[in-house]
Amino acid sequence: MDPLTPEQIRASFVNCSQGQARRLPLPRSLDTTRWEVLDFLGWSDPGAPSAAYLVAPWRGQTVGLTLRLPADRRATRRQNMCSLCTTVHSSTDVALMVAPRAGASGRSGNTVGAYLCADLDCSLYARRLKRPARVQPTETLDEEQRVERLRESLDHLVRRVMTG
């Protein structure tokens, strides 16, 4: 992923108002971000535990999505899998994140949901630069194939939000 400035990040959001985009918190570590290992930039709002954000290159443009997490994410013994990177986590480390659709459809309340890594570090999991606490199923894909699968899943998610 190419490095982005705060202005580019704020201008990329497609499913919130410009005012909301100007007010949303940016990642604190933006100046030390390792852009070369990211397929998208994802972060949570430390002041609002139910808010998260995802910014990704998509079909020649940069698209930002606001996401909402459920307020109650109690620990259970279940395992869940991220729909982007297919990493298996405990249920507290995967969250159903909901994004309003872009445009009039989203303003009418229509949303798209996906189970994602709660920390949004899918790029790092796909490259095995970060390891989850759970043992992972044996997989025959190499890193390049895992990253390609992540990018295809990300494309599908963004397309669902964009085509309201």
Side-chain angles (χ1 to χ4, degrees):
M1 181 171 183
D2 292 332
L4 298 171
T5 66
E7 294 77 22
Q8 290 170 312
I9 292 170
R10 290 183 189 287
S12 72
F13 283 89
V14 297
N15 64 346
C16 69
S17 71
Q18 291 177 350
Q20 290 170 318
R22 278 193 303 272
R23 291 185 301 272
L24 64 85
L26 295 177
R28 291 189 176 132
S29 60
L30 198 56
D31 55 339
T32 59
T33 299
R34 295 179 52 204
W35 297 97
E36 69 278 1
V37 297
L38 295 181
D39 301 290
F40 66 90
L41 177 65
W43 71 100
S44 298
D45 183 347
S50 65
Y53 309 95
L54 184 151
V55 176
W58 187 71
R59 301 183 182 191
Q61 60 184 326
T62 302
V63 174
L65 305 177
T66 61
L67 304 167
R68 293 287 170 241
L69 291 85
D72 184 16
R73 292 176 30 217
R74 290 181 218 167
T76 65
R77 299 189 134 205
R78 269 189 351 232
Q79 296 183 127
N80 287 320
M81 182 181 288
C82 174
S83 63
L84 293 183
C85 65
T86 69
T87 300
V88 176
H89 292 281
S90 66
S91 62
T92 57
D93 293 332
V94 169
L96 174 61
M97 297 195 191
V98 178
R101 289 191 184 266
S105 180
R107 288 189 296 277
S108 296
N110 294 316
T111 60
V112 170
Y115 285 95
L116 304 178
C117 295
D119 60 9
L120 294 170
D121 280 341
C122 303
S123 297
L124 302 180
Y125 291 121
R127 289 172 175 79
R128 296 197 174 137
L129 297 173
K130 187 172 183 179
R131 301 279 184 175
R134 295 275 181 166
V135 174
Q136 299 300 298
T138 303
E139 188 168 47
T140 59
L141 300 180
D142 62 23
E143 179 180 321
E144 185 177 317
Q145 293 168 317
R146 289 189 309 272
V147 169
E148 183 58 30
R149 177 181 59 202
L150 166 66
R151 290 177 180 167
E152 288 173 7
S153 298
L154 180 61
D155 177 77
H156 179 72
L157 174 63
V158 173
R159 186 172 15 134
R160 287 176 52 212
V161 172
M162 295 294 287
T163 57

